[in-house]
Amino acid sequence: MTAEPPSRAAPQRFFIVVGTSALASGAFSIDDIPSTGGRIDVLLRCVRAALLCSHGVRRDAAIVLVLCGGSSAPRTLRIDGLTAKFLRPDERSLGALVKKALSAPRRDSDEVRPGVFVRDGGLDVALAWIGDVTLYALEEGAPDVREAAMVGGPRAFVLGDHRGFDEATKALLASRGARSVGLGPVSVHAEDAITIVSNELDRRGPTALSDERA
Ligand SMILES: C[S@@+](CC[C@H](N)C(=O)[O-])C[C@H]1O[C@@H](n2cnc3c(N)ncnc32)[C@H](O)[C@@H]1O
């Protein structure tokens, strides 16, 4: 179960969201995602923010959801903008995609649908999976991302869910040398934090967008 995603164009920006209670199985109802999915709705909105913009898919971006809720936890789900198909912006469609991916039978490959991958394990697995990147932890009160000198090459930004980071997550990120960055004085929703970071990166360099309508 360790086949790597295609490396022909590795993502340049990763967003990793730690879902403290988000269900690690597909046993949630599409008709009531928040209460049956352990607030996996928070993470679904992060998928939209990370991978979709108006009329396009961010081909150079990937999102990694660390799912820590339920008896199957922890599991990690990754979606690559380059190869994922049929990404829609609404929560219900993204919920259906994630539900199917988490319910897919185990095969030789981690790729359960085009561009969608599932592995057992939590944040440590997610960090190993994305390889050699510059790691940033999004934390309220940290030095402003606008002032941060960002080195080139692939970058990963780690975010908390509605509860923020627990102590174990903070310790793991610190042990991996994550640089803490903040987004200004207001605590925003995780998906909004992703939009702010995406905008900051867009302003600093070329962005790979598809012309596909989302
Ligand atoms: C809704 S917030 C979490 C709020 C939670 N009560 C806490 O104490 O962290 C979700 C995530 O978005 C990111 N975030 C939100 N506002 C931020 C800010 N102003 N600066 C940096 N990161 C922020 C953080 O990663 C946070 O864990």
Side-chain angles (χ1 to χ4, degrees):
M1 297 290 233
T2 54
E4 294 297 330
S7 59
R8 53 202 150 96
Q12 292 302 297
R13 55 177 83 170
F14 291 92
F15 293 96
I16 302 175
V17 191
V18 183
T20 52
S21 59
L23 212 57
S25 76
F28 58 87
S29 165
I30 290 299
D31 294 324
D32 187 4
I33 297 173
S35 39
T36 61
R39 295 309 313 274
I40 202 170
D41 58 303
V42 173
L43 279 62
L44 298 176
R45 291 191 289 277
C46 290
V47 173
R48 185 204 57 72
L51 299 182
L52 298 177
C53 52
S54 179
H55 309 315
V57 178
R58 291 184 177 275
R59 297 294 184 195
D60 60 349
I63 185 150
V64 181
L65 307 180
V66 179
L67 306 164
C68 302
S71 56
S72 312
R75 290 174 87 196
T76 297
L77 184 147
R78 168 173 168 170
I79 307 177
D80 284 7
L82 182 66
T83 48
K85 297 194 183 314
F86 312 119
L87 291 175
R88 300 282 174 259
D90 65 285
E91 216 169 288
R92 194 179 168 88
S93 299
L94 291 171
L97 175 73
V98 166
K99 183 178 167 74
K100 279 183 195 158
L102 293 174
S103 306
R106 310 270 170 130
R107 296 206 183 90
D108 292 341
S109 166
D110 298 327
E111 189 166 24
V112 293
R113 302 173 67 77
V116 183
F117 307 80
V118 178
R119 280 190 184 177
D120 290 333
L123 181 57
D124 52 338
V125 165
L127 294 176
W129 195 353
I130 64 178
D132 194 13
V133 300
T134 307
L135 196 58
Y136 297 90
L138 285 169
E139 291 193 273
E140 294 167 29
D144 200 311
V145 71
R146 288 199 178 164
E147 316 301 329
M150 287 200 197
V151 292
R155 303 152 179 147
F157 297 84
V158 186
L159 301 96
D161 62 4
H162 56 295
R163 293 177 175 153
F165 294 139
D166 61 18
E167 292 308 316
T169 299
K170 285 182 190 171
L172 179 55
L173 291 172
S175 76
R176 301 299 166 89
R179 306 165 193 206
S180 293
V181 286
L183 303 174
V186 176
S187 174
V188 297
H189 291 299
E191 76 263 30
D192 295 333
I194 290 175
T195 301
I196 293 168
V197 172
S198 296
N199 179 259
E200 187 64 29
L201 296 178
D202 293 345
R203 289 167 185 266
R204 292 182 186 217
T207 300
L209 298 174
S210 79
D211 56 3
E212 194 177 279
R213 287 194 170 257

